[in-house]
Amino acid sequence: MTAKVTLSFTDETIEDARRYAERDGMSLSAWIDQAAREKALRELFNAHADVVRRAGHDRLEKHALDDAREVEMVRSEFRGRRAAQR
């Protein structure tokens, strides 16, 4: 599903976004959607890492970060998004 929204950006931000979207062969909307999704995933991942640290599992954190299933899940999410946008 796609939602239409009205957003405001600084001139510098929108110029950069347009340039990067063109470089990546994407529409501006698709590029901004991807950028927002990547930021949301980083926020979720960082929140998870904070919980692990607070729980005292610091020694396990490196292993969790290196877990091949988690890495593949993130890669699949990005690949799926890119494929759907083209």
Side-chain angles (χ1 to χ4, degrees):
M1 186 184 296
T2 301
K4 298 254 183 208
V5 296
T6 301
L7 302 170
S8 298
F9 297 96
T10 64
D11 291 339
E12 182 180 350
T13 298
I14 202 65
E15 286 173 23
D16 288 344
R18 284 186 174 125
R19 186 173 55 254
Y20 292 130
E22 184 176 336
R23 176 200 67 190
D24 293 346
M26 303 170 75
S27 70
L28 179 60
S29 291
W31 191 89
I32 290 174
D33 181 70
Q34 178 179 315
R37 184 69 184 144
E38 288 174 4
K39 173 68 172 168
L41 288 172
R42 276 193 308 276
E43 292 287 334
L44 181 63
F45 184 80
N46 289 335
H48 172 74
D50 288 343
V51 168
V52 169
R53 275 191 293 278
R54 282 195 306 272
H57 300 293
D58 292 1
R59 61 181 165 57
L60 300 176
E61 184 177 6
K62 170 126 177 50
H63 298 293
L65 294 174
D66 291 337
D67 183 25
R69 286 177 296 162
E70 289 182 13
V71 171
E72 186 54 39
M73 179 183 70
V74 171
R75 285 184 181 150
S76 295
E77 177 70 21
F78 289 138
R79 278 195 298 263
R81 290 275 176 184
R82 286 189 178 135
Q85 292 168 352
R86 290 185 179 164

